Amino acid sequence: MKNEGIEGMERFVSPDKGRGLQALRHFAVGELVFACPSYSSVLTENERGAHCDLCFTRREDLFKCGKCKQAFYCNVDCQRGDWSMHKLECVAMCAYGENWCPSETVRLVARIIMKQRVTTERTPSERLLLFSEFEAHLDKMDSEKDELNQTDIAALHHFYSKHISNLPDEQALTELFAQVNCNGFTIEDEELSHLGSAVFPDVALMNHSCSPNVIVTYKGTVAEVRAVQEINPGDEIFNSYIDLLYPTEDRKERLLDSYFFTCQCTECTSKSKDKEKMEILKLSSPSEPEEIQSMVYYAKNVIEEFRRAKHYKNILFL
Ligand SMILES: C[S@@+](CC[C@H](N)C(=O)[O-])C[C@H]1O[C@@H](n2cnc3c(N)ncnc32)[C@H](O)[C@@H]1O
Ligand SMILES: [Zn+2]
Ligand SMILES: [Zn+2]
Ligand SMILES: [Zn+2]
């Protein structure tokens, strides 16, 4: 692919934050800053049958893979498009039966290894940052993280070594898992249900702020980055890596543990919203089982109504 970069954006070196993304023009609130197809993605096991394994579209009339009967597709094109990845799991899922249990990260890493083997050029997901350039922070791994990493590597060997010839060596796999942990994304639908995991290299170029100027949403397996604050030429583009409902100390701990940096954004310095956040957390302290049951019942009904309305809207506008 000829690299034309991303219109209105530039990769730059952000003081104390490594590489980052900078705006070259103005973006209004709500404007699409850029979109990025996934480099690699995997549908979560719980959503099998409800969403297409390739494009993540939710529909009732998916058809299943005739061999394993566990992967579902919109049509033959989606099935063909996914085969180079699904073949890693198709036979293995049948062979392992109930013992098939690789984690989602392991499933994603297996796909990334295959993707790297068939990719010879910069992909449309890597206009400003290549997957191979991802930060791994190997020097900051403690013994606990090392152990988790070893467990993932063992699972990859156990479930996939028959289907991926010559798996990378121990050191390369350690780096690969560390890169995915530090740069990977989880995909949610509009109801915030977890749909799967993926890597979007250009989206991973954005550094974190607890007062971000963009948010990332998903259309199938395409990430859309939209402005939530006005962005001016020269501004750094900041995304949030974490749930911002938590007070400063909790956020800092989480960022240091998962992403190895101490956040010094305006929100972490001023702590201006901590009091409100503490109140919200207090309100969300454990509820009675009956209360939870009634909330789940209510939420399920609302979701069902929402889906029905969306379905009719789609039919009307076809
Ligand atoms: C998804 S990557 C972002 C791109 C990264 N700067 C790079 O050069 O590859 C996440 C890493 O960026 C750095 N980072 C992100 N936000 C930061 C911030 N607010 N302050 C310091 N470092 C940050 C940390 O090293 C973190 O592990
Ligand atoms: Zn599909
Ligand atoms: Zn199959
Ligand atoms: Zn912060």
Side-chain angles (χ1 to χ4, degrees), residues 21-41:
L21 189 63
Q22 190 172 36
L24 293 173
R25 68 162 173 92
H26 174 266
F27 288 90
V29 173
E31 198 176 337
L32 180 71
V33 177
F34 69 98
C36 177
S38 72
Y39 173 88
S40 187
S41 61

Side-chain angles (χ1 to χ4, degrees), residues 42-83 86 89-90 93 107 111 195 221:
V42 64
L43 184 73
T44 199
E45 300 269 3
N46 278 344
E47 295 294 336
R48 281 193 192 283
H51 294 258
C52 170
D53 266 63
L54 179 77
C55 70
F56 284 23
T57 300
R58 182 186 180 89
R59 48 194 278 183
E60 310 269 316
D61 55 347
L62 296 167
F63 77 90
K64 57 182 156 202
C65 168
K67 287 198 182 104
C68 66
K69 304 191 170 38
Q70 295 191 60
F72 290 76
Y73 298 100
C74 301
N75 49 42
V76 175
D77 289 342
C78 283
Q79 183 173 29
R80 283 207 188 112
D82 195 40
W83 179 243
H86 176 58
E89 299 192 333
C90 189
M93 282 194 292
R107 294 179 63 211
R111 286 168 180 240
L195 294 188
T221 57

Side-chain angles (χ1 to χ4, degrees), residues 16-20 129 133-135 137 140 182-183 203-209 238 241 258-265:
D16 306 321
K17 300 183 185 69
R19 298 153 298 190
L129 185 73
E133 293 180 286
F134 275 178
E135 182 73 74
H137 289 303
K140 300 183 189 99
C182 188
N183 294 273
V203 185
L205 177 58
M206 290 185 286
N207 287 315
H208 164 91
S209 166
F238 287 112
Y241 296 178
S258 304
Y259 299 97
F260 309 100
F261 71 92
T262 303
C263 193
Q264 287 171 326
C265 74

